[in-house]
Amino acid sequence: MIAYAITGCAVSSSGNMVGEAASVKYSTDDKKYRIAEVGMTFAAAGEDSFISSLHNDVEISGGSLNLRASLLSLSYSLLGQKGGLFLSVPVTIPLDVGIRPSFVQWIGPAYLGTGVSFVGGFFPNEQEDDYVPKADDSFGRFDGFILYNLGGGAMFDIGEKLSLGAYANYERIALNSGGSNVKDYGFHVDVMGGAEGKENLPAYAKRVNVMTLGLNAFIRMEKPIGFYVEYSPGELMYNDDWWKFRVGAVLLY
C-alpha cells in the first residue's frame, strides 16, 4: 500500500540584500537608517526528496514567518561609491534566532553584497500519541546551523519618490522539523485504498542551496518603505528541483 502526502516544516533563510542596499542608498550624513523587515517564506523539494513513513512518501515542504532588525550599521565611501556594514538579528517562526553580519557596496545604480547568519533554534515535536508509528517521547529538537547569501542587483529612481529594482541571490536555506504527522499538515491521497493518513513522521534537518530572482520597490518618505517578491524556480541552475517563494516588506527608520 502506497500513499503520497505533503507535510510542513520551518524554513529559514539568510535573506537578501534589499534592506541593506536601500539603507545605504537613502542614508545621508544627517540620517543613518536602520532596517526592520518582515516576510513569509515557502519552500519545497523536488520529486526525489521525500520523508518516508509506514505508508507514505512525504514531500519535504514548509513555510515560515521571517523577521529581521538591524542592531548596528557603519557606512563608508570607497572611490566615491557608498557602502555599508551591518549587524542584524534574524528570527524565524517556528522558532529560531540568529546573528547576521553583512555588507553591501554600491557601484553606480548597481550593488553587490553578502551576509552570513549564525542560527540556533528549537523545533517542536508535533507527533500524535494515537498515530503510528509510536510517537517519539521528545519535546522536539534543537539545532544550530550557518546560512549565507551572496547577491547583487540594481535600483533605479522613478521620479523623486519611487525606486524600482531587480536582484539575484545565491543562498543557503534550512528546512527543519522536530517531528510531524501527515493528517495535520496537508492533504492525503490513498492510491491503493485502506490508509487513513494518521501517521507520525520523523524529525529531520535539510540544507539546500538555491539561486533566487527577485523584484523590489521602495517609496521614499521620512521613513522609506519597500516591498519585494522573489522566486527560486526548480528548473534554474543549481536548484536541483528545489523551489522557494518569498514576499516581504522593509521599513527604514
Side-chain angles (χ1 to χ4, degrees), residues 70-101:
S70 60
L71 297 178
L72 302 170
S73 65
L74 174 66
S75 59
Y76 63 87
S77 178
L78 180 63
L79 300 177
Q81 302 293 319
K82 297 171 71 174
L85 303 171
F86 297 85
L87 187 66
S88 59
V89 175
V91 178
T92 299
I93 303 172
L95 193 58
D96 64 52
V97 63
I99 193 76
R100 180 181 189 252

Side-chain angles (χ1 to χ4, degrees), residues 9-248:
C9 61
V11 181
S12 304
S13 166
S14 187
N16 53 52
M17 305 307 301
V18 171
E20 285 90 338
S23 175
V24 172
K25 177 180 174 66
Y26 292 125
S27 289
T28 65
D29 291 340
D30 297 327
K31 177 61 178 178
K32 303 298 183 183
Y33 285 108
R34 293 187 175 184
I35 304 164
E37 181 178 345
V38 59
M40 292 286 293
T41 304
F42 305 92
E47 295 181 354
D48 295 331
S49 298
F50 291 95
I51 297 296
S52 296
S53 61
L54 292 177
H55 304 109
N56 296 282
D57 288 329
V58 183
E59 179 182 326
I60 299 176
S61 62
S64 296
L65 173 66
N66 306 107
L67 309 171
R68 186 164 69 96
S70 60
L71 297 178
L72 302 170
S73 65
L74 174 66
S75 59
Y76 63 87
S77 178
L78 180 63
L79 300 177
Q81 302 293 319
K82 297 171 71 174
L85 303 171
F86 297 85
L87 187 66
S88 59
V89 175
V91 178
T92 299
I93 303 172
L95 193 58
D96 64 52
V97 63
I99 193 76
R100 180 181 189 252
S102 59
F103 92 95
V104 67
Q105 175 64 55
W106 279 91
I107 307 172
Y111 62 88
L112 297 171
T114 187
V116 180
S117 297
F118 302 90
V119 184
F122 175 75
F123 307 97
N125 184 358
E126 299 182 1
Q127 296 175 342
E128 296 286 348
D129 291 336
D130 56 345
Y131 285 18
V132 293
K134 188 180 186 303
D136 192 326
D137 291 333
S138 71
F139 289 105
R141 51 181 292 272
F142 290 93
D143 200 357
F145 44 93
I146 298 174
L147 305 177
Y148 53 81
N149 72 292
L150 172 66
M155 290 187 197
F156 299 95
D157 293 331
I158 310 299
E160 296 182 357
K161 297 295 185 181
L162 179 65
S163 294
L164 300 179
Y167 59 92
N169 197 41
Y170 183 70
E171 61 179 309
R172 187 169 183 81
I173 62 175
L175 298 95
N176 289 284
S177 171
S180 59
N181 61 78
V182 173
K183 182 180 178 182
D184 285 350
Y185 272 113
F187 64 85
H188 177 273
V189 180
D190 184 355
V191 297
M192 297 297 289
E196 296 181 359
K198 296 182 178 181
E199 291 190 77
N200 287 321
L201 301 173
Y204 61 85
K206 187 73 174 178
R207 311 290 181 254
V208 182
N209 291 349
V210 294
M211 178 68 76
T212 300
L213 305 176
L215 299 172
N216 65 269
F218 266 87
I219 302 171
R220 188 166 190 171
M221 304 182 293
E222 181 180 352
K223 296 180 179 179
I225 187 169
F227 304 91
Y228 62 83
V229 58
E230 60 185 39
Y231 182 55
S232 307
E235 301 80 11
L236 198 62
M237 60 180 179
Y238 309 123
N239 289 2
D240 294 330
D241 291 330
W242 283 85
W243 65 263
K244 188 204 74 173
F245 176 79
R246 180 168 175 154
V247 60

